[in-house]
Amino acid sequence: VEFSYGEKRILNSVYLQCKQGMLVGLLGRNGSGKSTLMKVMISELQTEVKSVRINGTPFHNGITRGCSAITYLPQGPM
């Protein structure tokens, strides 16, 4: 995953691998890109450079709401 706001690069060559059944927490300082990464993965933010695969199946448009293969709990109200 790569993502920029204008000329400012926020995410650069991010690779995240999780095994089936794992619970994963994404930790980091404020402004480090955690929420941006999740928003790109669930297609809330668009970028031209991303590859999302679950069990080897590519999701070219990211993970959409209702996808039963992964669960995302946002920090704000739903």
Side-chain angles (χ1 to χ4, degrees):
V1 173
E2 294 183 5
F3 186 82
S4 297
Y5 283 114
E7 296 295 317
K8 184 169 180 158
R9 176 68 51 99
I10 305 298
L11 303 173
N12 187 28
S13 300
V14 175
Y15 177 82
L16 176 66
Q17 180 180 6
C18 306
K19 303 269 184 198
Q20 185 173 351
M22 287 179 65
L23 296 176
V24 177
L26 192 56
L27 306 173
R29 292 180 176 216
N30 289 345
S32 62
K34 303 174 301 289
S35 296
T36 301
L37 174 62
M38 295 307 297
K39 288 177 182 179
V40 168
M41 287 177 56
I42 65 169
S43 301
E44 204 169 292
L45 287 175
Q46 299 302 314
T47 183
E48 296 202 9
V49 182
K50 76 174 171 185
S51 173
V52 178
R53 288 176 296 173
I54 299 176
N55 293 332
T57 302
F59 287 74
H60 299 292
N61 296 318
I63 302 164
T64 58
R65 295 192 192 282
C67 175
S68 62
I70 191 169
T71 302
Y72 167 57
L73 181 61
Q75 65 188 25
M78 296 172 67

